[in-house]
Amino acid sequence: MKPCAFDYEHIDELSRACAELQGGNARLVAGAQSLGPMLNLRLARPAALLDISRLPELRGFAESDDGLLVGAAVTHAEIEDGLLPDVTRGVLPRVARGIAYRAVRNRGTIGGSLAHADPAADWVSCLSALGGEVVLVGVDGGRRMRVRDFVVGAFHTALRAGELVAAVRVPRLAPGSRFGYFKACRKTGELAHAIGAVFVDSEGGTERVVMGATGGRPVVLEGEGAMAGTGWEEALETSAPGLDELDRRLHLETLRRACELSETL
Amino acid sequence: MKTLNLTVNGKGTSAAVEPRTHLADFLREDCLLTGTHLGCEHGVCGACTVLKDGRPVRSCLTYAVSCEGASVQSIEGLDDDPLMVRLRDSFSAEHALQCGYCTPGMLVTARDIVQRFAGQSLSDARLRQELSGNLCRCTGYTGIVKAIQRVLRQPEELPIASAPASTLTALQMDHYTRLPLEEGAMAGPAAAASSSDGDGRRIEAAFELDHPSEAVWRALRDDIQGTVACMPGLELRSVSETGEVDGVFHVGMGPISARIAGEGRVVFDDAACSGRVEGAGKDGGSGSRARGSVTFTVQDAGHGRSSMGIVMAFELTGALAQFSRGSLVQDIVRLLIEQFRVNLDARLRGEEAPSGKALNPLSLLWLSLRSRFRSWFGKG
Ligand SMILES: Cc1cc2nc3c(=O)[nH]c(=O)nc-3n(C[C@H](O)[C@H](O)[C@H](O)COP(=O)(O)OP(=O)(O)OC[C@H]3O[C@@H](n4cnc5c(N)ncnc54)[C@H](O)[C@@H]3O)c2cc1C
Ligand code: FES
Ligand code: FES
């Protein structure tokens, strides 16, 4: 099947993207790696696409003492290839490499992935664990949100009309912190059936585990002992009550493996 | 139509294309380069992989208009490429193809792997991971893996040009860090449980309302249109005296917007204070079909309150079903039911009838703020 007809425009200024998003049935497109399939199947039928994949303001980074701002249109492959300053001691490139396939990673973007908010997306779980944030810019200015708050549910974010994800903020990870990530899928590169992510920074007093790909927003547990596993079942029960027994066990086991395989950075 | 200027296999090309034309169709239909094959058209099979500015991309997920100014190489453009010549010979030697359907995409991917890993030793397992985005349905991968290893293991034969690097620039983004950090305002999950039910899915949910059960039942029973208006995205076009209904359900989830039009029946059981709506419909745009039922029961919960139980059972087929992994649909239904509860509650309090728009992020945000307020004020 081919997509319904749409208009198409290259956007070269951030403010124009916001202005044009406000009215009508226009939709942003970055890598088109999630939107494309939906267009091709005619599940999405926007009147126009606004292509932000070459927008200079989204195609770079800014490093600071406490972390890194990554432009929304930076691709998974660019992260995989280490084109960003490595503030995460290898975590971002490693997670990027596990996303889809090289040809998809060459076009799919970190901002598009978060805005799309597929619960099974790798950046959603990974950045929720690391304490990442999104920078949202709209016609009336901007705001920041933690990734775990930004993703409200399956394919739903806190984005408002006329707003876009401009950048993603990744904290600088201290030496000696621990990270573990495990993605359960039947075939390499496909979207996960379950994701487990764990991040511990003993000096900074952070201990966080994430159960991702539950079908809704990521289930995050925080605080001392989060890794121990005692609260996991209850958290899953409250935050993702609809899972059947098999899925519940898959999520618990996936997180257990993420903890077991976690490494000091 | 848009005018497109790009380089195809080294030749400057200018053409008028419809924005919806993807690169694979442009290459095949407009440039008559039929070496690029289409399998799935949603990024999974890899048959359509071509090079854009030297990097492999899915031509089925790359719109031709997005290639303005780019250099595209299809398998035909790599005829004389020294590395491709070696790969082709190696594919023949190792019996790495039979029908050849996957081969153009396989070769383009193989070339990229050899470029990126030239001079390194790559385990077969890792090579298979790198190849996992290209499906071969007849040869099997053993020969393909051997063929690529053969080329990788003889880097001295010809210097291998490295894969083109892309560039990222340092940007001035200081002002972003000074933006306010907004706290999340999450709606708690409705008590919903789901199970698969034959081919379909069954979701149960329950919530309490701060209104007596008779009032709730009367409101539901006597004003079907009003009740339906509480369900985001649902719109009744007609209701007959005998309970035949005709309506439309607008499903909005992220970029997906389906419009399922169909017919059904409503039956009420006054004695049990329960009702059932059954129906089936079709989304003309994507050709997806849905059928299902909603059963709801109102019970007295004491102290002037009532509880409402909802059971939804449904089955989806077609494109919509592909994107509706069970747990996703469930999260969306959870949000729908939560919004229905908020709207119904407002209606019972005599507030303005809610709009029948599809579930959308804005109303969701409003919804989550509402539940936040409720918990602040001790009612959640
Ligand atoms: C075969 C295949 C396998 C995949 N496997 C995985 C996987 O294992 N793990 C994984 O995480 N992902 C996977 N993906 C998805 C992939 O990572 C996508 O690149 C990503 O989810 C979306 O990024 P994009 O830039 O392509 O966004 P697009 O498809 O261009 O856009 C997606 C949505 O986000 C919106 N949008 C885009 N950019 C912005 C922005 N800056 N601000 C606001 N809204 C925006 C668009 O309007 C659209 O609604 C897979 C995709 C394919 C095709
Ligand atoms: S046709 Fe493009 S990946 Fe299958
Ligand atoms: S050679 Fe037939 S599909 Fe691969």
PDB file of all heavy atoms in Angstrom, chain A residues 27-35 52 72 76 99-100 108-109 112-113 115-116 121-122 159 164-165 183 189-191, chain B residues 43 61 255, ligand 1:
ATOM      1  N   ARG A  27       2.473  17.388  10.370  1.00  0.00           N
ATOM      2  CA  ARG A  27       3.191  16.570  11.332  1.00  0.00           C
ATOM      3  C   ARG A  27       4.678  16.680  11.067  1.00  0.00           C
ATOM      4  O   ARG A  27       5.094  16.767   9.916  1.00  0.00           O
ATOM      5  CB  ARG A  27       2.724  15.128  11.183  1.00  0.00           C
ATOM      6  CG  ARG A  27       3.241  14.212  12.235  1.00  0.00           C
ATOM      7  CD  ARG A  27       2.414  12.959  12.339  1.00  0.00           C
ATOM      8  NE  ARG A  27       1.337  13.074  13.293  1.00  0.00           N
ATOM      9  CZ  ARG A  27       1.489  13.035  14.619  1.00  0.00           C
ATOM     10  NH1 ARG A  27       2.681  12.913  15.147  1.00  0.00           N
ATOM     11  NH2 ARG A  27       0.448  13.106  15.411  1.00  0.00           N
ATOM     12  N   LEU A  28       5.463  16.679  12.136  1.00  0.00           N
ATOM     13  CA  LEU A  28       6.907  16.693  11.964  1.00  0.00           C
ATOM     14  C   LEU A  28       7.362  15.343  11.449  1.00  0.00           C
ATOM     15  O   LEU A  28       6.767  14.320  11.769  1.00  0.00           O
ATOM     16  CB  LEU A  28       7.591  16.938  13.307  1.00  0.00           C
ATOM     17  CG  LEU A  28       7.375  18.280  13.990  1.00  0.00           C
ATOM     18  CD1 LEU A  28       8.041  18.253  15.360  1.00  0.00           C
ATOM     19  CD2 LEU A  28       7.939  19.414  13.146  1.00  0.00           C
ATOM     20  N   VAL A  29       8.424  15.359  10.681  1.00  0.00           N
ATOM     21  CA  VAL A  29       9.077  14.102  10.348  1.00  0.00           C
ATOM     22  C   VAL A  29      10.572  14.316  10.526  1.00  0.00           C
ATOM     23  O   VAL A  29      11.111  15.352  10.168  1.00  0.00           O
ATOM     24  CB  VAL A  29       8.708  13.616   8.925  1.00  0.00           C
ATOM     25  CG1 VAL A  29       9.220  14.558   7.847  1.00  0.00           C
ATOM     26  CG2 VAL A  29       9.226  12.202   8.693  1.00  0.00           C
ATOM     27  N   ALA A  30      11.220  13.343  11.155  1.00  0.00           N
ATOM     28  CA  ALA A  30      12.671  13.422  11.311  1.00  0.00           C
ATOM     29  C   ALA A  30      13.254  12.302  10.461  1.00  0.00           C
ATOM     30  O   ALA A  30      13.442  12.450   9.262  1.00  0.00           O
ATOM     31  CB  ALA A  30      13.049  13.318  12.780  1.00  0.00           C
ATOM     32  N   GLY A  31      13.468  11.127  11.022  1.00  0.00           N
ATOM     33  CA  GLY A  31      14.036  10.036  10.243  1.00  0.00           C
ATOM     34  C   GLY A  31      13.012   9.264   9.444  1.00  0.00           C
ATOM     35  O   GLY A  31      13.360   8.463   8.584  1.00  0.00           O
ATOM     36  N   ALA A  32      11.738   9.432   9.773  1.00  0.00           N
ATOM     37  CA  ALA A  32      10.630   8.702   9.141  1.00  0.00           C
ATOM     38  C   ALA A  32      10.702   7.192   9.393  1.00  0.00           C
ATOM     39  O   ALA A  32      10.033   6.435   8.713  1.00  0.00           O
ATOM     40  CB  ALA A  32      10.548   8.982   7.638  1.00  0.00           C
ATOM     41  N   GLN A  33      11.481   6.770  10.354  1.00  0.00           N
ATOM     42  CA  GLN A  33      11.622   5.328  10.571  1.00  0.00           C
ATOM     43  C   GLN A  33      10.483   4.758  11.426  1.00  0.00           C
ATOM     44  O   GLN A  33      10.278   3.548  11.468  1.00  0.00           O
ATOM     45  CB  GLN A  33      12.984   5.003  11.193  1.00  0.00           C
ATOM     46  CG  GLN A  33      14.149   5.474  10.346  1.00  0.00           C
ATOM     47  CD  GLN A  33      14.121   4.890   8.937  1.00  0.00           C
ATOM     48  OE1 GLN A  33      14.343   3.701   8.756  1.00  0.00           O
ATOM     49  NE2 GLN A  33      13.837   5.717   7.944  1.00  0.00           N
ATOM     50  N   SER A  34       9.744   5.610  12.095  1.00  0.00           N
ATOM     51  CA  SER A  34       8.534   5.156  12.782  1.00  0.00           C
ATOM     52  C   SER A  34       7.302   5.680  12.069  1.00  0.00           C
ATOM     53  O   SER A  34       6.305   4.973  11.928  1.00  0.00           O
ATOM     54  CB  SER A  34       8.521   5.643  14.234  1.00  0.00           C
ATOM     55  OG  SER A  34       9.513   4.974  14.972  1.00  0.00           O
ATOM     56  N   LEU A  35       7.386   6.921  11.606  1.00  0.00           N
ATOM     57  CA  LEU A  35       6.242   7.499  10.902  1.00  0.00           C
ATOM     58  C   LEU A  35       6.060   6.840   9.530  1.00  0.00           C
ATOM     59  O   LEU A  35       4.922   6.603   9.102  1.00  0.00           O
ATOM     60  CB  LEU A  35       6.453   9.013  10.749  1.00  0.00           C
ATOM     61  CG  LEU A  35       5.262   9.820  10.241  1.00  0.00           C
ATOM     62  CD1 LEU A  35       4.032   9.585  11.103  1.00  0.00           C
ATOM     63  CD2 LEU A  35       5.601  11.305  10.203  1.00  0.00           C
ATOM     64  N   ILE A  52      12.305  18.003   9.657  1.00  0.00           N
ATOM     65  CA  ILE A  52      13.260  18.717  10.509  1.00  0.00           C
ATOM     66  C   ILE A  52      14.601  17.989  10.571  1.00  0.00           C
ATOM     67  O   ILE A  52      15.459  18.324  11.378  1.00  0.00           O
ATOM     68  CB  ILE A  52      12.708  18.884  11.940  1.00  0.00           C
ATOM     69  CG1 ILE A  52      12.252  17.535  12.493  1.00  0.00           C
ATOM     70  CG2 ILE A  52      11.561  19.891  11.961  1.00  0.00           C
ATOM     71  CD1 ILE A  52      11.939  17.569  13.985  1.00  0.00           C
ATOM     72  N   ALA A  72      17.921  17.085  18.761  1.00  0.00           N
ATOM     73  CA  ALA A  72      16.902  16.062  18.545  1.00  0.00           C
ATOM     74  C   ALA A  72      17.102  15.288  17.247  1.00  0.00           C
ATOM     75  O   ALA A  72      16.717  14.132  17.142  1.00  0.00           O
ATOM     76  CB  ALA A  72      15.512  16.705  18.553  1.00  0.00           C
ATOM     77  N   HIS A  76      20.647   7.681  15.552  1.00  0.00           N
ATOM     78  CA  HIS A  76      21.144   6.569  16.372  1.00  0.00           C
ATOM     79  C   HIS A  76      22.544   6.161  15.908  1.00  0.00           C
ATOM     80  O   HIS A  76      23.414   5.858  16.721  1.00  0.00           O
ATOM     81  CB  HIS A  76      20.227   5.348  16.270  1.00  0.00           C
ATOM     82  CG  HIS A  76      18.759   5.635  16.449  1.00  0.00           C
ATOM     83  ND1 HIS A  76      18.282   6.504  17.392  1.00  0.00           N
ATOM     84  CD2 HIS A  76      17.671   5.145  15.823  1.00  0.00           C
ATOM     85  CE1 HIS A  76      16.956   6.541  17.318  1.00  0.00           C
ATOM     86  NE2 HIS A  76      16.565   5.734  16.377  1.00  0.00           N
ATOM     87  N   ILE A  99      19.650  -0.716  18.685  1.00  0.00           N
ATOM     88  CA  ILE A  99      18.384  -0.238  18.108  1.00  0.00           C
ATOM     89  C   ILE A  99      18.289  -0.665  16.653  1.00  0.00           C
ATOM     90  O   ILE A  99      19.150  -0.330  15.841  1.00  0.00           O
ATOM     91  CB  ILE A  99      18.281   1.303  18.179  1.00  0.00           C
ATOM     92  CG1 ILE A  99      18.326   1.781  19.629  1.00  0.00           C
ATOM     93  CG2 ILE A  99      17.022   1.798  17.483  1.00  0.00           C
ATOM     94  CD1 ILE A  99      18.336   3.291  19.780  1.00  0.00           C
ATOM     95  N   ALA A 100      17.269  -1.387  16.320  1.00  0.00           N
ATOM     96  CA  ALA A 100      16.968  -1.740  14.930  1.00  0.00           C
ATOM     97  C   ALA A 100      18.210  -2.213  14.174  1.00  0.00           C
ATOM     98  O   ALA A 100      19.012  -2.975  14.702  1.00  0.00           O
ATOM     99  CB  ALA A 100      16.310  -0.559  14.221  1.00  0.00           C
ATOM    100  N   GLY A 108      16.987   7.148  11.729  1.00  0.00           N
ATOM    101  CA  GLY A 108      16.177   7.354  12.932  1.00  0.00           C
ATOM    102  C   GLY A 108      16.881   8.257  13.919  1.00  0.00           C
ATOM    103  O   GLY A 108      18.097   8.175  14.093  1.00  0.00           O
ATOM    104  N   THR A 109      16.138   9.131  14.577  1.00  0.00           N
ATOM    105  CA  THR A 109      16.749  10.127  15.463  1.00  0.00           C
ATOM    106  C   THR A 109      16.346   9.910  16.922  1.00  0.00           C
ATOM    107  O   THR A 109      15.308   9.323  17.217  1.00  0.00           O
ATOM    108  CB  THR A 109      16.304  11.546  15.063  1.00  0.00           C
ATOM    109  OG1 THR A 109      14.892  11.669  15.286  1.00  0.00           O
ATOM    110  CG2 THR A 109      16.608  11.840  13.599  1.00  0.00           C
ATOM    111  N   GLY A 112      13.112  11.922  17.585  1.00  0.00           N
ATOM    112  CA  GLY A 112      11.945  11.261  16.992  1.00  0.00           C
ATOM    113  C   GLY A 112      11.527  10.058  17.808  1.00  0.00           C
ATOM    114  O   GLY A 112      10.343   9.789  18.011  1.00  0.00           O
ATOM    115  N   SER A 113      12.503   9.335  18.295  1.00  0.00           N
ATOM    116  CA  SER A 113      12.227   8.142  19.078  1.00  0.00           C
ATOM    117  C   SER A 113      11.482   8.504  20.364  1.00  0.00           C
ATOM    118  O   SER A 113      10.497   7.855  20.723  1.00  0.00           O
ATOM    119  CB  SER A 113      13.559   7.457  19.387  1.00  0.00           C
ATOM    120  OG  SER A 113      13.340   6.311  20.125  1.00  0.00           O
ATOM    121  N   ALA A 115       9.780  11.363  20.958  1.00  0.00           N
ATOM    122  CA  ALA A 115       8.487  11.981  20.645  1.00  0.00           C
ATOM    123  C   ALA A 115       7.469  10.935  20.206  1.00  0.00           C
ATOM    124  O   ALA A 115       6.281  11.057  20.468  1.00  0.00           O
ATOM    125  CB  ALA A 115       8.663  13.030  19.543  1.00  0.00           C
ATOM    126  N   HIS A 116       7.947   9.900  19.556  1.00  0.00           N
ATOM    127  CA  HIS A 116       7.054   8.841  19.094  1.00  0.00           C
ATOM    128  C   HIS A 116       6.503   8.035  20.278  1.00  0.00           C
ATOM    129  O   HIS A 116       5.389   7.545  20.250  1.00  0.00           O
ATOM    130  CB  HIS A 116       7.814   7.940  18.118  1.00  0.00           C
ATOM    131  CG  HIS A 116       6.958   6.942  17.424  1.00  0.00           C
ATOM    132  ND1 HIS A 116       5.935   7.314  16.598  1.00  0.00           N
ATOM    133  CD2 HIS A 116       6.943   5.587  17.455  1.00  0.00           C
ATOM    134  CE1 HIS A 116       5.333   6.227  16.128  1.00  0.00           C
ATOM    135  NE2 HIS A 116       5.929   5.161  16.641  1.00  0.00           N
ATOM    136  N   ALA A 121      10.576   1.512  22.814  1.00  0.00           N
ATOM    137  CA  ALA A 121      11.748   2.198  22.273  1.00  0.00           C
ATOM    138  C   ALA A 121      12.888   2.174  23.283  1.00  0.00           C
ATOM    139  O   ALA A 121      12.675   2.361  24.481  1.00  0.00           O
ATOM    140  CB  ALA A 121      11.399   3.634  21.897  1.00  0.00           C
ATOM    141  N   ASP A 122      14.090   1.976  22.784  1.00  0.00           N
ATOM    142  CA  ASP A 122      15.234   1.849  23.692  1.00  0.00           C
ATOM    143  C   ASP A 122      15.565   3.140  24.428  1.00  0.00           C
ATOM    144  O   ASP A 122      15.897   3.111  25.607  1.00  0.00           O
ATOM    145  CB  ASP A 122      16.452   1.370  22.904  1.00  0.00           C
ATOM    146  CG  ASP A 122      16.307  -0.083  22.508  1.00  0.00           C
ATOM    147  OD1 ASP A 122      16.550  -0.939  23.370  1.00  0.00           O
ATOM    148  OD2 ASP A 122      15.909  -0.364  21.360  1.00  0.00           O
ATOM    149  N   LEU A 159       3.881  16.532  25.000  1.00  0.00           N
ATOM    150  CA  LEU A 159       4.057  17.602  24.007  1.00  0.00           C
ATOM    151  C   LEU A 159       2.755  18.359  23.800  1.00  0.00           C
ATOM    152  O   LEU A 159       1.695  17.753  23.693  1.00  0.00           O
ATOM    153  CB  LEU A 159       4.472  17.011  22.658  1.00  0.00           C
ATOM    154  CG  LEU A 159       5.944  16.826  22.341  1.00  0.00           C
ATOM    155  CD1 LEU A 159       6.093  16.112  21.007  1.00  0.00           C
ATOM    156  CD2 LEU A 159       6.683  18.148  22.307  1.00  0.00           C
ATOM    157  N   LEU A 164       7.933  21.155  19.997  1.00  0.00           N
ATOM    158  CA  LEU A 164       8.708  20.011  19.515  1.00  0.00           C
ATOM    159  C   LEU A 164       9.843  19.698  20.486  1.00  0.00           C
ATOM    160  O   LEU A 164      10.179  20.494  21.355  1.00  0.00           O
ATOM    161  CB  LEU A 164       9.238  20.260  18.092  1.00  0.00           C
ATOM    162  CG  LEU A 164      10.041  21.496  17.771  1.00  0.00           C
ATOM    163  CD1 LEU A 164      11.439  21.418  18.348  1.00  0.00           C
ATOM    164  CD2 LEU A 164      10.145  21.644  16.265  1.00  0.00           C
ATOM    165  N   VAL A 165      10.403  18.518  20.318  1.00  0.00           N
ATOM    166  CA  VAL A 165      11.570  18.154  21.107  1.00  0.00           C
ATOM    167  C   VAL A 165      12.766  18.789  20.413  1.00  0.00           C
ATOM    168  O   VAL A 165      13.037  18.489  19.256  1.00  0.00           O
ATOM    169  CB  VAL A 165      11.754  16.618  21.161  1.00  0.00           C
ATOM    170  CG1 VAL A 165      13.009  16.260  21.951  1.00  0.00           C
ATOM    171  CG2 VAL A 165      10.532  15.942  21.757  1.00  0.00           C
ATOM    172  N   LYS A 183      17.648  -6.275  26.870  1.00  0.00           N
ATOM    173  CA  LYS A 183      16.510  -6.119  25.967  1.00  0.00           C
ATOM    174  C   LYS A 183      16.063  -7.513  25.551  1.00  0.00           C
ATOM    175  O   LYS A 183      16.856  -8.252  24.981  1.00  0.00           O
ATOM    176  CB  LYS A 183      17.007  -5.303  24.770  1.00  0.00           C
ATOM    177  CG  LYS A 183      16.028  -5.062  23.677  1.00  0.00           C
ATOM    178  CD  LYS A 183      16.649  -4.145  22.620  1.00  0.00           C
ATOM    179  CE  LYS A 183      15.721  -4.013  21.435  1.00  0.00           C
ATOM    180  NZ  LYS A 183      16.272  -3.200  20.354  1.00  0.00           N
ATOM    181  N   GLY A 189      17.502  -6.736  16.934  1.00  0.00           N
ATOM    182  CA  GLY A 189      17.151  -5.470  16.294  1.00  0.00           C
ATOM    183  C   GLY A 189      15.680  -5.131  16.277  1.00  0.00           C
ATOM    184  O   GLY A 189      15.311  -4.032  15.919  1.00  0.00           O
ATOM    185  N   GLU A 190      14.832  -6.068  16.669  1.00  0.00           N
ATOM    186  CA  GLU A 190      13.414  -5.684  16.656  1.00  0.00           C
ATOM    187  C   GLU A 190      13.076  -4.943  17.944  1.00  0.00           C
ATOM    188  O   GLU A 190      13.856  -4.930  18.899  1.00  0.00           O
ATOM    189  CB  GLU A 190      12.512  -6.911  16.465  1.00  0.00           C
ATOM    190  CG  GLU A 190      12.445  -7.795  17.679  1.00  0.00           C
ATOM    191  CD  GLU A 190      11.413  -8.916  17.559  1.00  0.00           C
ATOM    192  OE1 GLU A 190      10.768  -9.041  16.513  1.00  0.00           O
ATOM    193  OE2 GLU A 190      11.264  -9.654  18.541  1.00  0.00           O
ATOM    194  N   LEU A 191      11.913  -4.320  17.966  1.00  0.00           N
ATOM    195  CA  LEU A 191      11.474  -3.631  19.168  1.00  0.00           C
ATOM    196  C   LEU A 191      11.299  -4.667  20.279  1.00  0.00           C
ATOM    197  O   LEU A 191      10.868  -5.793  20.040  1.00  0.00           O
ATOM    198  CB  LEU A 191      10.167  -2.890  18.910  1.00  0.00           C
ATOM    199  CG  LEU A 191      10.341  -1.588  18.108  1.00  0.00           C
ATOM    200  CD1 LEU A 191       9.065  -1.209  17.393  1.00  0.00           C
ATOM    201  CD2 LEU A 191      10.801  -0.450  19.012  1.00  0.00           C
TER     202      LEU A 191
ATOM    203  N   GLY B  43      10.248  -1.308   6.537  1.00  0.00           N
ATOM    204  CA  GLY B  43      11.554  -1.213   7.176  1.00  0.00           C
ATOM    205  C   GLY B  43      12.110  -2.501   7.734  1.00  0.00           C
ATOM    206  O   GLY B  43      13.216  -2.519   8.263  1.00  0.00           O
ATOM    207  N   LEU B  61      11.403   3.687   3.376  1.00  0.00           N
ATOM    208  CA  LEU B  61      11.097   4.626   4.460  1.00  0.00           C
ATOM    209  C   LEU B  61      11.832   5.945   4.246  1.00  0.00           C
ATOM    210  O   LEU B  61      12.116   6.673   5.183  1.00  0.00           O
ATOM    211  CB  LEU B  61      11.487   4.034   5.826  1.00  0.00           C
ATOM    212  CG  LEU B  61      10.762   2.773   6.275  1.00  0.00           C
ATOM    213  CD1 LEU B  61      11.205   2.371   7.680  1.00  0.00           C
ATOM    214  CD2 LEU B  61       9.258   2.962   6.234  1.00  0.00           C
ATOM    215  N   PRO B 255       0.866   9.185  15.819  1.00  0.00           N
ATOM    216  CA  PRO B 255       0.577   9.599  14.455  1.00  0.00           C
ATOM    217  C   PRO B 255      -0.606   8.860  13.833  1.00  0.00           C
ATOM    218  O   PRO B 255      -1.101   9.266  12.796  1.00  0.00           O
ATOM    219  CB  PRO B 255       1.854   9.237  13.693  1.00  0.00           C
ATOM    220  CG  PRO B 255       2.759   8.552  14.636  1.00  0.00           C
ATOM    221  CD  PRO B 255       2.132   8.475  15.975  1.00  0.00           C
TER     222      PRO B 255
HETATM  223  C1  LIG C   1      12.421  -2.173  11.312  1.00  0.00           C
HETATM  224  C2  LIG C   1      12.518  -1.207  12.457  1.00  0.00           C
HETATM  225  C3  LIG C   1      12.976  -1.646  13.686  1.00  0.00           C
HETATM  226  C4  LIG C   1      13.053  -0.779  14.761  1.00  0.00           C
HETATM  227  N1  LIG C   1      13.551  -1.239  15.951  1.00  0.00           N
HETATM  228  C5  LIG C   1      13.703  -0.389  16.991  1.00  0.00           C
HETATM  229  C6  LIG C   1      14.269  -0.813  18.220  1.00  0.00           C
HETATM  230  O1  LIG C   1      14.673  -1.959  18.379  1.00  0.00           O
HETATM  231  N2  LIG C   1      14.363   0.084  19.236  1.00  0.00           N
HETATM  232  C7  LIG C   1      13.966   1.376  19.094  1.00  0.00           C
HETATM  233  O2  LIG C   1      14.077   2.135  20.036  1.00  0.00           O
HETATM  234  N3  LIG C   1      13.424   1.805  17.939  1.00  0.00           N
HETATM  235  C8  LIG C   1      13.294   0.969  16.886  1.00  0.00           C
HETATM  236  N4  LIG C   1      12.761   1.432  15.711  1.00  0.00           N
HETATM  237  C9  LIG C   1      12.288   2.831  15.629  1.00  0.00           C
HETATM  238  C10 LIG C   1      13.434   3.757  15.237  1.00  0.00           C
HETATM  239  O3  LIG C   1      14.357   3.851  16.295  1.00  0.00           O
HETATM  240  C11 LIG C   1      12.952   5.170  14.885  1.00  0.00           C
HETATM  241  O4  LIG C   1      14.037   5.828  14.342  1.00  0.00           O
HETATM  242  C12 LIG C   1      12.493   6.075  15.995  1.00  0.00           C
HETATM  243  O5  LIG C   1      11.591   5.483  16.825  1.00  0.00           O
HETATM  244  C13 LIG C   1      11.798   7.313  15.468  1.00  0.00           C
HETATM  245  O6  LIG C   1      12.710   8.250  15.058  1.00  0.00           O
HETATM  246  P1  LIG C   1      12.545   9.007  13.691  1.00  0.00           P
HETATM  247  O7  LIG C   1      13.547  10.086  13.705  1.00  0.00           O
HETATM  248  O8  LIG C   1      12.600   8.055  12.578  1.00  0.00           O
HETATM  249  O9  LIG C   1      11.079   9.648  13.849  1.00  0.00           O
HETATM  250  P2  LIG C   1       9.925   9.836  12.764  1.00  0.00           P
HETATM  251  O10 LIG C   1       9.473   8.524  12.290  1.00  0.00           O
HETATM  252  O11 LIG C   1      10.338  10.832  11.755  1.00  0.00           O
HETATM  253  O12 LIG C   1       8.812  10.497  13.690  1.00  0.00           O
HETATM  254  C14 LIG C   1       8.157   9.746  14.685  1.00  0.00           C
HETATM  255  C15 LIG C   1       7.127  10.636  15.377  1.00  0.00           C
HETATM  256  O13 LIG C   1       7.757  11.627  16.174  1.00  0.00           O
HETATM  257  C16 LIG C   1       7.433  12.932  15.724  1.00  0.00           C
HETATM  258  N5  LIG C   1       8.682  13.690  15.820  1.00  0.00           N
HETATM  259  C17 LIG C   1       9.860  13.415  15.204  1.00  0.00           C
HETATM  260  N6  LIG C   1      10.819  14.254  15.630  1.00  0.00           N
HETATM  261  C18 LIG C   1      10.236  15.083  16.529  1.00  0.00           C
HETATM  262  C19 LIG C   1      10.714  16.159  17.336  1.00  0.00           C
HETATM  263  N7  LIG C   1      11.993  16.555  17.301  1.00  0.00           N
HETATM  264  N8  LIG C   1       9.832  16.775  18.159  1.00  0.00           N
HETATM  265  C20 LIG C   1       8.549  16.381  18.220  1.00  0.00           C
HETATM  266  N9  LIG C   1       8.042  15.372  17.487  1.00  0.00           N
HETATM  267  C21 LIG C   1       8.876  14.727  16.653  1.00  0.00           C
HETATM  268  C22 LIG C   1       6.861  12.778  14.344  1.00  0.00           C
HETATM  269  O14 LIG C   1       5.891  13.762  14.085  1.00  0.00           O
HETATM  270  C23 LIG C   1       6.247  11.402  14.413  1.00  0.00           C
HETATM  271  O15 LIG C   1       4.971  11.463  14.957  1.00  0.00           O
HETATM  272  C24 LIG C   1      12.659   0.576  14.610  1.00  0.00           C
HETATM  273  C25 LIG C   1      12.195   1.027  13.367  1.00  0.00           C
HETATM  274  C26 LIG C   1      12.137   0.158  12.293  1.00  0.00           C
HETATM  275  C27 LIG C   1      11.641   0.652  10.967  1.00  0.00           C
END
